Amino acid sequence: MPKVGIASCGITKFTKDDSKIESVLLKSTKNLFDNSPNLSRNDIDAVLVSTNNNSKYLSAILSEMSGIEPKIAHSIESLCNSGTNAIVSAYSYIASGLADAVLVSGAERYDSPGQILEWDNSRGEFKHPIFWASIFTKAYKREFSVTDEELAIVPVKNHKQSQNNPNALSEKTYSLEDIINSKKLTDDLRLLDCSRPCTGGASILLASENTCKKFTDVPIWITGIGQKTTSAGFTKNMSFSSMESTQIAASTAFKMSKCNVKDIDVAEVHDAFSVCEPMALESLGFTDKGKGIDMIKDLHATNNLKINPRGGLIGSGHPLGATGIAQTIEITQQLQSCANKRQIANAKTGLVHNMSAAATSSTVLILER
Amino acid sequence: MNFESELKKGNFLISECVHCKKIVWPPSEFCNQCFKEVSWRKSLYEGKIIEFSKQNNNYFCLVEIENTIKVMGKISSGIPNVGQHVKIERCGIKDDNYYFEMSLI
């Protein structure tokens, strides 16, 4: 398979702003062009837009507003992992030879319709994500004898880490007591256990090996891709205390990249809610089942930024269509040694975990320097 | 027979593949294993609690019906336990959402 790399990135600050989706898309695309002086509009063969926004024809609109006339232009939607799905599509266009350079731009507004999967009637009247998160949390706590206080370390850690991310929604740190005393949404979930919907955009330029080197001195290669969709409906999950789709996607990605979890220096995992971080770490193979919280406690106590250095979804905010792209940008910057205060020393191999709808679908990417 | 038109009347029907002899869920006209047509029958209206939580003073739970179908619904009264059996007391469609109300057995 020909090598496909990341040639440039652009991002906006994540906010609660009432901006038009087209404007959010354009801002991160402009930032990408600002970051790549050698890039011309004619270099771009395809423009892929990742969003859950209901506006139509956004890739053609973004192309026109950016002065690009691509061969291929279309949108990609897969709820919360739209972003990495768009990156995988871009990879495929390049690997197949249909395109040489692909702009992937993700954007969402704070009021995204992608937050609730209306189709999933097996959730009855409990369609908001806080209900699947409550069931996951209760099942995880029950199976592994984990407490609310232990799970609260996840938002404490991720808000802390997000303070070094200039684009993060979160602007403050929280104590364990703050998390525990935040508004109780259900018996098993508090407001500060949740990532927050927001307005934000993230863009990435993927290109073939030679083209990549035209735009950056430090290309980052996508060496592993794993994806799995086990169902659409939350209640079809076989386990409510682990992520089956993540486990399968990780295994595929590691096999493709010929590396294993011990080689990973830095990872962005999909902490949509507190419980998702330990569950993801376990399903990705970073630690044994039920031991995710121990790993997180240790990382937090030693200020080790290995997991979610930009603050994850909880600290950064969760603009659905932009999230997977923002996660990939973070790992790219880490491997390029340009993550400033968030930098993990000598990071060579990184992982992105992005999932949708109560882990019914997962994408895992392995990135290497 | 339309699943939703019956649910609106408070009837919980189950689609079963004539060929595979398996329950098809979510309800569909065609089997998700062989695409043959399904037949419809009434549910036993009983299930068991897989997991539960509570919002304000109301318990909500994930219930497995006939060892296959999982749905989320309300518990009308009492304190639920995992593995406990429940009866679907009421079901229907309200504000475009399905709803299931269970009582503990």
Side-chain angles (χ1 to χ4, degrees), chain A residues 261-300:
Chain A
V261 72
K262 291 196 175 67
D263 298 316
I264 302 299
D265 301 308
V266 55
E268 278 288 322
V269 305
H270 195 103
D271 58 328
F273 298 94
S274 295
V275 75
C276 297
E277 186 161 307
M279 276 171 72
L281 291 175
E282 292 162 24
S283 297
L284 290 163
F286 281 102
T287 183
D288 291 339
K289 278 194 172 180
K291 301 289 180 200
I293 278 294
D294 292 343
M295 179 178 170
I296 291 162
K297 274 184 198 166
D298 188 48
L299 292 168
H300 177 54

mmCIF file of all heavy atoms in Angstrom, chain A residues 261-300:
data_model
loop_
_atom_site.group_PDB
_atom_site.id
_atom_site.type_symbol
_atom_site.label_atom_id
_atom_site.label_comp_id
_atom_site.label_asym_id
_atom_site.label_seq_id
_atom_site.Cartn_x
_atom_site.Cartn_y
_atom_site.Cartn_z
ATOM 1 N N VAL A 261 0.372 -2.045 21.253
ATOM 2 C CA VAL A 261 -0.009 -0.973 22.172
ATOM 3 C C VAL A 261 1.194 -0.460 22.980
ATOM 4 O O VAL A 261 1.244 0.710 23.360
ATOM 5 C CB VAL A 261 -1.182 -1.454 23.064
ATOM 6 C CG1 VAL A 261 -0.721 -2.473 24.098
ATOM 7 C CG2 VAL A 261 -1.896 -0.302 23.718
ATOM 8 N N LYS A 262 2.188 -1.307 23.189
ATOM 9 C CA LYS A 262 3.382 -0.886 23.945
ATOM 10 C C LYS A 262 4.197 0.149 23.177
ATOM 11 O O LYS A 262 4.988 0.888 23.763
ATOM 12 C CB LYS A 262 4.256 -2.114 24.259
ATOM 13 C CG LYS A 262 3.629 -3.057 25.272
ATOM 14 C CD LYS A 262 4.652 -4.021 25.846
ATOM 15 C CE LYS A 262 4.065 -4.873 26.943
ATOM 16 N NZ LYS A 262 3.025 -5.816 26.458
ATOM 17 N N ASP A 263 4.012 0.194 21.853
ATOM 18 C CA ASP A 263 4.754 1.167 21.039
ATOM 19 C C ASP A 263 4.127 2.561 21.079
ATOM 20 O O ASP A 263 4.709 3.527 20.583
ATOM 21 C CB ASP A 263 4.787 0.710 19.565
ATOM 22 C CG ASP A 263 5.502 -0.621 19.413
ATOM 23 O OD1 ASP A 263 6.568 -0.777 20.030
ATOM 24 O OD2 ASP A 263 4.984 -1.499 18.685
ATOM 25 N N ILE A 264 2.915 2.671 21.624
ATOM 26 C CA ILE A 264 2.195 3.960 21.574
ATOM 27 C C ILE A 264 2.739 4.914 22.645
ATOM 28 O O ILE A 264 2.696 4.619 23.835
ATOM 29 C CB ILE A 264 0.670 3.747 21.761
ATOM 30 C CG1 ILE A 264 0.107 2.797 20.689
ATOM 31 C CG2 ILE A 264 -0.078 5.083 21.768
ATOM 32 C CD1 ILE A 264 0.253 3.263 19.256
ATOM 33 N N ASP A 265 3.225 6.060 22.174
ATOM 34 C CA ASP A 265 3.782 7.066 23.093
ATOM 35 C C ASP A 265 2.719 8.057 23.558
ATOM 36 O O ASP A 265 2.856 8.665 24.617
ATOM 37 C CB ASP A 265 4.903 7.852 22.389
ATOM 38 C CG ASP A 265 6.028 6.942 21.926
ATOM 39 O OD1 ASP A 265 6.526 6.160 22.751
ATOM 40 O OD2 ASP A 265 6.387 7.009 20.727
ATOM 41 N N VAL A 266 1.693 8.259 22.725
ATOM 42 C CA VAL A 266 0.673 9.265 23.040
ATOM 43 C C VAL A 266 -0.636 8.868 22.352
ATOM 44 O O VAL A 266 -0.619 8.342 21.246
ATOM 45 C CB VAL A 266 1.145 10.673 22.593
ATOM 46 C CG1 VAL A 266 1.534 10.713 21.121
ATOM 47 C CG2 VAL A 266 0.110 11.744 22.893
ATOM 48 N N ALA A 267 -1.766 9.115 23.029
ATOM 49 C CA ALA A 267 -3.056 8.719 22.444
ATOM 50 C C ALA A 267 -4.146 9.730 22.766
ATOM 51 O O ALA A 267 -4.161 10.326 23.850
ATOM 52 C CB ALA A 267 -3.470 7.340 22.973
ATOM 53 N N GLU A 268 -5.020 9.925 21.818
ATOM 54 C CA GLU A 268 -6.262 10.666 22.033
ATOM 55 C C GLU A 268 -7.375 9.631 22.072
ATOM 56 O O GLU A 268 -7.574 8.884 21.105
ATOM 57 C CB GLU A 268 -6.505 11.635 20.870
ATOM 58 C CG GLU A 268 -5.737 12.944 20.986
ATOM 59 C CD GLU A 268 -6.276 13.866 22.070
ATOM 60 O OE1 GLU A 268 -7.498 13.936 22.235
ATOM 61 O OE2 GLU A 268 -5.469 14.505 22.756
ATOM 62 N N VAL A 269 -8.080 9.530 23.189
ATOM 63 C CA VAL A 269 -9.188 8.577 23.281
ATOM 64 C C VAL A 269 -10.497 9.334 23.483
ATOM 65 O O VAL A 269 -10.505 10.445 24.002
ATOM 66 C CB VAL A 269 -8.967 7.505 24.382
ATOM 67 C CG1 VAL A 269 -7.640 6.784 24.180
ATOM 68 C CG2 VAL A 269 -9.061 8.091 25.765
ATOM 69 N N HIS A 270 -11.588 8.691 23.062
ATOM 70 C CA HIS A 270 -12.894 9.353 22.948
ATOM 71 C C HIS A 270 -13.617 9.372 24.299
ATOM 72 O O HIS A 270 -14.509 8.566 24.560
ATOM 73 C CB HIS A 270 -13.714 8.617 21.883
ATOM 74 C CG HIS A 270 -14.902 9.362 21.400
ATOM 75 N ND1 HIS A 270 -14.942 10.013 20.190
ATOM 76 C CD2 HIS A 270 -16.113 9.565 21.956
ATOM 77 C CE1 HIS A 270 -16.123 10.582 20.027
ATOM 78 N NE2 HIS A 270 -16.854 10.317 21.096
ATOM 79 N N ASP A 271 -13.253 10.333 25.139
ATOM 80 C CA ASP A 271 -13.848 10.453 26.477
ATOM 81 C C ASP A 271 -15.124 11.286 26.420
ATOM 82 O O ASP A 271 -15.205 12.345 27.044
ATOM 83 C CB ASP A 271 -12.835 11.087 27.452
ATOM 84 C CG ASP A 271 -12.376 12.461 26.975
ATOM 85 O OD1 ASP A 271 -12.317 12.670 25.756
ATOM 86 O OD2 ASP A 271 -12.092 13.337 27.823
ATOM 87 N N ALA A 272 -16.121 10.806 25.708
ATOM 88 C CA ALA A 272 -17.393 11.542 25.623
ATOM 89 C C ALA A 272 -17.963 11.763 27.024
ATOM 90 O O ALA A 272 -18.552 12.807 27.314
ATOM 91 C CB ALA A 272 -18.382 10.775 24.766
ATOM 92 N N PHE A 273 -17.799 10.769 27.895
ATOM 93 C CA PHE A 273 -18.187 10.849 29.308
ATOM 94 C C PHE A 273 -17.041 10.247 30.125
ATOM 95 O O PHE A 273 -16.250 9.468 29.588
ATOM 96 C CB PHE A 273 -19.480 10.061 29.555
ATOM 97 C CG PHE A 273 -20.659 10.594 28.783
ATOM 98 C CD1 PHE A 273 -21.001 10.057 27.549
ATOM 99 C CD2 PHE A 273 -21.407 11.658 29.271
ATOM 100 C CE1 PHE A 273 -22.070 10.573 26.815
ATOM 101 C CE2 PHE A 273 -22.469 12.177 28.556
ATOM 102 C CZ PHE A 273 -22.808 11.638 27.326
ATOM 103 N N SER A 274 -16.994 10.561 31.418
ATOM 104 C CA SER A 274 -15.875 10.072 32.256
ATOM 105 C C SER A 274 -15.611 8.582 32.055
ATOM 106 O O SER A 274 -14.474 8.164 31.846
ATOM 107 C CB SER A 274 -16.173 10.320 33.738
ATOM 108 O OG SER A 274 -16.230 11.699 33.996
ATOM 109 N N VAL A 275 -16.663 7.771 32.119
ATOM 110 C CA VAL A 275 -16.480 6.314 32.086
ATOM 111 C C VAL A 275 -15.857 5.840 30.773
ATOM 112 O O VAL A 275 -15.234 4.779 30.718
ATOM 113 C CB VAL A 275 -17.825 5.591 32.351
ATOM 114 C CG1 VAL A 275 -18.748 5.663 31.130
ATOM 115 C CG2 VAL A 275 -17.602 4.156 32.776
ATOM 116 N N CYS A 276 -16.018 6.629 29.717
ATOM 117 C CA CYS A 276 -15.506 6.203 28.405
ATOM 118 C C CYS A 276 -13.979 6.114 28.382
ATOM 119 O O CYS A 276 -13.429 5.309 27.636
ATOM 120 C CB CYS A 276 -15.970 7.149 27.299
ATOM 121 S SG CYS A 276 -17.746 7.169 27.104
ATOM 122 N N GLU A 277 -13.299 6.938 29.190
ATOM 123 C CA GLU A 277 -11.833 6.902 29.123
ATOM 124 C C GLU A 277 -11.256 5.588 29.650
ATOM 125 O O GLU A 277 -10.495 4.937 28.940
ATOM 126 C CB GLU A 277 -11.213 8.131 29.804
ATOM 127 C CG GLU A 277 -9.702 8.159 29.603
ATOM 128 C CD GLU A 277 -9.059 9.517 29.834
ATOM 129 O OE1 GLU A 277 -9.510 10.509 29.231
ATOM 130 O OE2 GLU A 277 -8.094 9.592 30.610
ATOM 131 N N PRO A 278 -11.609 5.155 30.872
ATOM 132 C CA PRO A 278 -11.078 3.844 31.290
ATOM 133 C C PRO A 278 -11.560 2.702 30.398
ATOM 134 O O PRO A 278 -10.784 1.786 30.097
ATOM 135 C CB PRO A 278 -11.606 3.680 32.728
ATOM 136 C CG PRO A 278 -12.704 4.669 32.890
ATOM 137 C CD PRO A 278 -12.379 5.800 31.958
ATOM 138 N N MET A 279 -12.818 2.760 29.970
ATOM 139 C CA MET A 279 -13.328 1.687 29.096
ATOM 140 C C MET A 279 -12.531 1.633 27.790
ATOM 141 O O MET A 279 -12.170 0.556 27.312
ATOM 142 C CB MET A 279 -14.815 1.914 28.785
ATOM 143 C CG MET A 279 -15.728 1.379 29.864
ATOM 144 S SD MET A 279 -17.452 1.879 29.628
ATOM 145 C CE MET A 279 -17.933 0.899 28.236
ATOM 146 N N ALA A 280 -12.241 2.804 27.226
ATOM 147 C CA ALA A 280 -11.488 2.847 25.963
ATOM 148 C C ALA A 280 -10.063 2.338 26.180
ATOM 149 O O ALA A 280 -9.557 1.550 25.376
ATOM 150 C CB ALA A 280 -11.475 4.263 25.410
ATOM 151 N N LEU A 281 -9.428 2.762 27.281
ATOM 152 C CA LEU A 281 -8.044 2.318 27.535
ATOM 153 C C LEU A 281 -7.980 0.799 27.650
ATOM 154 O O LEU A 281 -7.043 0.164 27.168
ATOM 155 C CB LEU A 281 -7.502 2.977 28.811
ATOM 156 C CG LEU A 281 -7.267 4.487 28.711
ATOM 157 C CD1 LEU A 281 -6.837 5.041 30.069
ATOM 158 C CD2 LEU A 281 -6.227 4.818 27.656
ATOM 159 N N GLU A 282 -9.012 0.223 28.269
ATOM 160 C CA GLU A 282 -9.044 -1.231 28.420
ATOM 161 C C GLU A 282 -9.309 -1.904 27.068
ATOM 162 O O GLU A 282 -8.639 -2.873 26.705
ATOM 163 C CB GLU A 282 -10.130 -1.617 29.438
ATOM 164 C CG GLU A 282 -9.768 -1.163 30.840
ATOM 165 C CD GLU A 282 -10.955 -1.115 31.796
ATOM 166 O OE1 GLU A 282 -11.945 -1.840 31.555
ATOM 167 O OE2 GLU A 282 -10.893 -0.359 32.786
ATOM 168 N N SER A 283 -10.260 -1.369 26.317
ATOM 169 C CA SER A 283 -10.611 -2.005 25.046
ATOM 170 C C SER A 283 -9.511 -1.829 23.993
ATOM 171 O O SER A 283 -9.368 -2.652 23.093
ATOM 172 C CB SER A 283 -11.944 -1.461 24.534
ATOM 173 O OG SER A 283 -12.966 -1.798 25.458
ATOM 174 N N LEU A 284 -8.718 -0.755 24.121
ATOM 175 C CA LEU A 284 -7.595 -0.551 23.192
ATOM 176 C C LEU A 284 -6.397 -1.423 23.576
ATOM 177 O O LEU A 284 -5.465 -1.578 22.791
ATOM 178 C CB LEU A 284 -7.168 0.924 23.200
ATOM 179 C CG LEU A 284 -8.152 1.917 22.568
ATOM 180 C CD1 LEU A 284 -7.827 3.343 23.002
ATOM 181 C CD2 LEU A 284 -8.143 1.810 21.047
ATOM 182 N N GLY A 285 -6.405 -1.942 24.806
ATOM 183 C CA GLY A 285 -5.338 -2.840 25.246
ATOM 184 C C GLY A 285 -4.241 -2.161 26.058
ATOM 185 O O GLY A 285 -3.217 -2.767 26.362
ATOM 186 N N PHE A 286 -4.454 -0.872 26.453
ATOM 187 C CA PHE A 286 -3.444 -0.190 27.271
ATOM 188 C C PHE A 286 -3.332 -0.812 28.656
ATOM 189 O O PHE A 286 -2.292 -0.731 29.297
ATOM 190 C CB PHE A 286 -3.793 1.299 27.427
ATOM 191 C CG PHE A 286 -3.441 2.126 26.218
ATOM 192 C CD1 PHE A 286 -4.420 2.506 25.316
ATOM 193 C CD2 PHE A 286 -2.130 2.521 25.988
ATOM 194 C CE1 PHE A 286 -4.099 3.272 24.210
ATOM 195 C CE2 PHE A 286 -1.800 3.284 24.883
ATOM 196 C CZ PHE A 286 -2.786 3.662 23.984
ATOM 197 N N THR A 287 -4.434 -1.390 29.107
ATOM 198 C CA THR A 287 -4.441 -1.976 30.444
ATOM 199 C C THR A 287 -5.495 -3.085 30.502
ATOM 200 O O THR A 287 -6.319 -3.198 29.592
ATOM 201 C CB THR A 287 -4.714 -0.869 31.491
ATOM 202 O OG1 THR A 287 -4.649 -1.437 32.792
ATOM 203 C CG2 THR A 287 -6.062 -0.212 31.301
ATOM 204 N N ASP A 288 -5.446 -3.888 31.569
ATOM 205 C CA ASP A 288 -6.401 -4.999 31.694
ATOM 206 C C ASP A 288 -7.802 -4.472 32.003
ATOM 207 O O ASP A 288 -7.958 -3.350 32.488
ATOM 208 C CB ASP A 288 -5.974 -5.929 32.831
ATOM 209 C CG ASP A 288 -4.711 -6.678 32.486
ATOM 210 O OD1 ASP A 288 -4.393 -6.795 31.289
ATOM 211 O OD2 ASP A 288 -4.017 -7.127 33.430
ATOM 212 N N LYS A 289 -8.796 -5.319 31.785
ATOM 213 C CA LYS A 289 -10.185 -4.956 32.098
ATOM 214 C C LYS A 289 -10.316 -4.557 33.559
ATOM 215 O O LYS A 289 -9.802 -5.261 34.446
ATOM 216 C CB LYS A 289 -11.118 -6.130 31.805
ATOM 217 C CG LYS A 289 -11.486 -6.203 30.346
ATOM 218 C CD LYS A 289 -12.659 -7.135 30.122
ATOM 219 C CE LYS A 289 -13.107 -7.025 28.665
ATOM 220 N NZ LYS A 289 -14.229 -7.886 28.374
ATOM 221 N N GLY A 290 -10.973 -3.429 33.796
ATOM 222 C CA GLY A 290 -11.195 -2.979 35.162
ATOM 223 C C GLY A 290 -10.025 -2.198 35.750
ATOM 224 O O GLY A 290 -10.107 -1.697 36.866
ATOM 225 N N LYS A 291 -8.934 -2.089 35.000
ATOM 226 C CA LYS A 291 -7.728 -1.420 35.524
ATOM 227 C C LYS A 291 -7.522 -0.033 34.903
ATOM 228 O O LYS A 291 -6.518 0.627 35.193
ATOM 229 C CB LYS A 291 -6.476 -2.277 35.249
ATOM 230 C CG LYS A 291 -6.532 -3.666 35.879
ATOM 231 C CD LYS A 291 -6.396 -3.585 37.382
ATOM 232 C CE LYS A 291 -6.442 -4.955 38.028
ATOM 233 N NZ LYS A 291 -6.782 -4.878 39.440
ATOM 234 N N GLY A 292 -8.446 0.395 34.064
ATOM 235 C CA GLY A 292 -8.306 1.694 33.398
ATOM 236 C C GLY A 292 -8.175 2.848 34.377
ATOM 237 O O GLY A 292 -7.370 3.763 34.179
ATOM 238 N N ILE A 293 -8.973 2.794 35.435
ATOM 239 C CA ILE A 293 -8.945 3.886 36.420
ATOM 240 C C ILE A 293 -7.592 3.935 37.132
ATOM 241 O O ILE A 293 -7.063 5.011 37.403
ATOM 242 C CB ILE A 293 -10.127 3.736 37.419
ATOM 243 C CG1 ILE A 293 -11.395 4.311 36.782
ATOM 244 C CG2 ILE A 293 -9.852 4.398 38.746
ATOM 245 C CD1 ILE A 293 -11.383 5.816 36.525
ATOM 246 N N ASP A 294 -7.004 2.769 37.415
ATOM 247 C CA ASP A 294 -5.679 2.754 38.056
ATOM 248 C C ASP A 294 -4.653 3.451 37.157
ATOM 249 O O ASP A 294 -3.819 4.220 37.622
ATOM 250 C CB ASP A 294 -5.222 1.305 38.328
ATOM 251 C CG ASP A 294 -6.079 0.645 39.396
ATOM 252 O OD1 ASP A 294 -6.779 1.383 40.120
ATOM 253 O OD2 ASP A 294 -6.062 -0.596 39.487
ATOM 254 N N MET A 295 -4.740 3.163 35.858
ATOM 255 C CA MET A 295 -3.803 3.793 34.916
ATOM 256 C C MET A 295 -4.012 5.315 34.901
ATOM 257 O O MET A 295 -3.052 6.088 34.935
ATOM 258 C CB MET A 295 -4.039 3.204 33.517
ATOM 259 C CG MET A 295 -3.135 3.796 32.451
ATOM 260 S SD MET A 295 -3.428 3.010 30.835
ATOM 261 C CE MET A 295 -2.465 4.129 29.794
ATOM 262 N N ILE A 296 -5.286 5.743 34.897
ATOM 263 C CA ILE A 296 -5.606 7.180 34.850
ATOM 264 C C ILE A 296 -5.143 7.878 36.134
ATOM 265 O O ILE A 296 -4.582 8.977 36.079
ATOM 266 C CB ILE A 296 -7.121 7.374 34.592
ATOM 267 C CG1 ILE A 296 -7.458 6.924 33.164
ATOM 268 C CG2 ILE A 296 -7.552 8.817 34.826
ATOM 269 C CD1 ILE A 296 -8.926 6.652 32.919
ATOM 270 N N LYS A 297 -5.350 7.211 37.283
ATOM 271 C CA LYS A 297 -4.900 7.771 38.566
ATOM 272 C C LYS A 297 -3.395 8.017 38.531
ATOM 273 O O LYS A 297 -2.910 9.059 38.966
ATOM 274 C CB LYS A 297 -5.171 6.756 39.698
ATOM 275 C CG LYS A 297 -6.541 6.812 40.297
ATOM 276 C CD LYS A 297 -6.573 5.795 41.469
ATOM 277 C CE LYS A 297 -7.987 5.461 41.834
ATOM 278 N NZ LYS A 297 -8.088 4.279 42.702
ATOM 279 N N ASP A 298 -2.686 7.030 38.009
ATOM 280 C CA ASP A 298 -1.232 7.111 37.955
ATOM 281 C C ASP A 298 -0.780 8.235 37.010
ATOM 282 O O ASP A 298 0.105 9.031 37.345
ATOM 283 C CB ASP A 298 -0.703 5.744 37.483
ATOM 284 C CG ASP A 298 0.797 5.668 37.582
ATOM 285 O OD1 ASP A 298 1.317 6.042 38.647
ATOM 286 O OD2 ASP A 298 1.443 5.272 36.587
ATOM 287 N N LEU A 299 -1.412 8.327 35.847
ATOM 288 C CA LEU A 299 -1.066 9.389 34.886
ATOM 289 C C LEU A 299 -1.307 10.761 35.514
ATOM 290 O O LEU A 299 -0.483 11.672 35.400
ATOM 291 C CB LEU A 299 -1.911 9.259 33.604
ATOM 292 C CG LEU A 299 -1.652 8.041 32.711
ATOM 293 C CD1 LEU A 299 -2.757 7.919 31.653
ATOM 294 C CD2 LEU A 299 -0.296 8.147 32.026
ATOM 295 N N HIS A 300 -2.456 10.891 36.191
ATOM 296 C CA HIS A 300 -2.838 12.172 36.800
ATOM 297 C C HIS A 300 -1.858 12.545 37.914
ATOM 298 O O HIS A 300 -1.372 13.689 37.974
ATOM 299 C CB HIS A 300 -4.265 12.068 37.339
ATOM 300 C CG HIS A 300 -4.741 13.296 38.046
ATOM 301 N ND1 HIS A 300 -4.700 14.542 37.465
ATOM 302 C CD2 HIS A 300 -5.254 13.476 39.286
ATOM 303 C CE1 HIS A 300 -5.177 15.434 38.323
ATOM 304 N NE2 HIS A 300 -5.509 14.818 39.426
#
